[in-house]
Amino acid sequence: MELTLLGTGCPVVSTTRYGPAQLVRHAGRSLLIDCGSGVTQRLVAAGCPGRDLDAIVLTHLHSDHLVDLYQLIISSWHQGRERPQRIFGPAGTRAHVEGLMALWAPERQLRITHEQRPSTAALDIEVTEIDADWTMHWATDWATDWDSLTVSAIPVDHRPVSPAFGFAFAADDRRIVFSGDTRPCAALEKAASGADLLLHEVFVHREMPVIEGVRSAETVASVAGYHTLSTQVGELAARAGVGCLALTHFVPPGCDREALLAEIGADFTGPIIIGEDLMTFDLHRRMLCYGNARLTLPLADTVRP
């Protein structure tokens, strides 16, 4: 099971941290989590164009997590995809997708008529709305062999955005838990207990000053209120006893990495990884890959006494 960070940013525009998106690959299959800005480019760079995706899973319906969904649908068609896109997401996903497709229908029909591509199957979208009890056992629920990869929804607290989910991925006795966007919550901590890898969002409060005309003190407090602060994420990882903590969805994207490591390391003594776009965690080979660098990845059973 591999996890690639496609986009580690947030709504703040960054040329190094693209919009929120993650890619899970296992047994030759690929699952995309969220469709933030630039996801189509990052998928190609990761060696998995949208043409090859088996499913898209959405954590919640905030714009920074799905702004490039239509671009992904169209680019996958241009890449020669010959099957519908399968999208799983919270209540409201179907209405959003139907509205998105309706908005672009006239332009799309012009393309179909003029470009004469071999298939339009990629433009058919199959939406499944999920709830807090949703679990998919890919080897049995899907007509393909995913070697028993299991994906489970975790209800998280991102109010007033509701529902919102994190996800747990399990295969070959390894577990990855992804927080999605959330303030600290008991359900996520319970799901992360003993996980090999916890991928968690982080809000670096000390680096979000008030800027006149951009954000007020109330703005900072409101945004911080439905995210997990850099002073909280290490405590959560420690309580959950995870093997490794990786960070994503950096607010702001250009935070001081060394200061952040020191802050979180005061609470969590295990491995802490500042996530970067196109960083890959290979749990089967216990390897962290980033560019040409290869590092041994400490997992739960290698760091616990």
Side-chain angles (χ1 to χ4, degrees):
M1 180 168 54
E2 296 181 6
L3 168 67
T4 299
L5 311 185
L6 299 175
T8 57
C10 64
V12 179
V13 175
S14 169
T15 58
T16 57
R17 295 194 184 279
Y18 284 16
Q22 325 296 336
L23 178 67
V24 172
R25 288 179 276 197
H26 180 69
R29 302 290 176 174
S30 303
L31 175 70
L32 175 68
I33 306 103
D34 288 337
C35 296
S37 179
V39 68
T40 53
Q41 291 88 345
R42 289 300 197 218
L43 281 168
V44 170
C48 181
R51 174 194 62 219
D52 298 335
L53 290 173
D54 292 284
I56 300 167
V57 178
L58 302 177
T59 57
H60 63 294
L61 301 183
H62 248 162
S63 60
D64 57 317
H65 290 256
L66 47 81
V67 68
D68 268 13
L69 177 57
Y70 189 74
Q71 166 64 10
L72 175 61
I73 292 167
I74 292 297
S75 66
S76 300
W77 176 51
H78 286 166
Q79 293 160 356
R81 186 179 178 91
E82 296 182 338
R83 52 181 169 148
Q85 288 281 8
R86 295 188 73 179
I87 300 176
F88 298 83
T93 298
R94 180 172 290 104
H96 177 83
V97 171
E98 289 175 352
L100 192 63
M101 298 302 284
L103 176 66
W104 288 97
E107 188 267 358
R108 189 169 61 254
Q109 189 55 53
L110 283 174
R111 287 185 180 274
I112 292 170
T113 302
H114 181 70
E115 296 178 12
Q116 296 292 302
R117 294 181 184 272
S119 171
T120 58
L123 303 176
D124 296 330
I125 314 300
E126 299 175 1
V127 176
T128 301
E129 294 193 341
I130 65 176
D131 59 22
D133 296 321
W134 179 74
T135 296
M136 177 168 283
H137 302 278
W138 291 88
T140 55
D141 294 349
W142 196 299
T144 56
D145 180 8
W146 273 58
D147 290 352
S148 71
L149 175 68
T150 300
V151 186
S152 302
I154 305 165
V156 296
D157 187 359
H158 194 43
R159 290 173 294 175
V161 180
S162 181
F165 298 111
F167 292 100
F169 304 88
D172 302 329
D173 297 322
R174 295 295 177 195
R175 284 199 304 127
I176 299 171
V177 172
F178 171 45
S179 70
D181 282 14
T182 183
R183 54 174 62 88
C185 70
L188 177 65
E189 186 174 326
K190 180 179 179 180
S193 179
D196 295 287
L197 174 64
L198 171 62
L199 178 64
H200 206 292
E201 64 130 89
V202 62
F203 185 95
V204 190
H205 191 272
R206 57 187 160 71
E207 296 196 28
M208 292 294 289
V210 172
I211 300 176
E212 186 175 354
V214 177
R215 54 179 176 258
S216 64
E218 291 78 14
T219 302
V220 175
S222 294
V223 176
Y226 63 179
H227 288 289
T228 299
L229 305 185
S230 49
T231 53
Q232 298 172 317
V233 66
E235 296 173 346
L236 187 152
R239 290 193 301 268
V242 302
C244 183
L245 171 63
L247 303 172
T248 190
H249 200 286
F250 292 86
V251 184
C255 64
D256 184 326
R257 289 163 170 77
E258 292 185 12
L260 182 60
L261 276 177
E263 185 174 40
I264 296 174
D267 299 308
F268 180 66
T269 58
I272 303 167
I273 298 169
I274 303 294
E276 304 290 348
D277 287 19
L278 298 177
M279 180 178 281
T280 294
F281 301 84
D282 185 333
L283 270 65
H284 177 69
R285 295 189 296 167
R286 299 187 178 192
M287 186 180 297
L288 170 62
C289 308
Y290 183 54
N292 292 322
R294 299 293 185 272
L295 302 173
T296 300
L297 182 63
L299 300 179
D301 58 357
T302 66
V303 297
R304 293 196 195 105

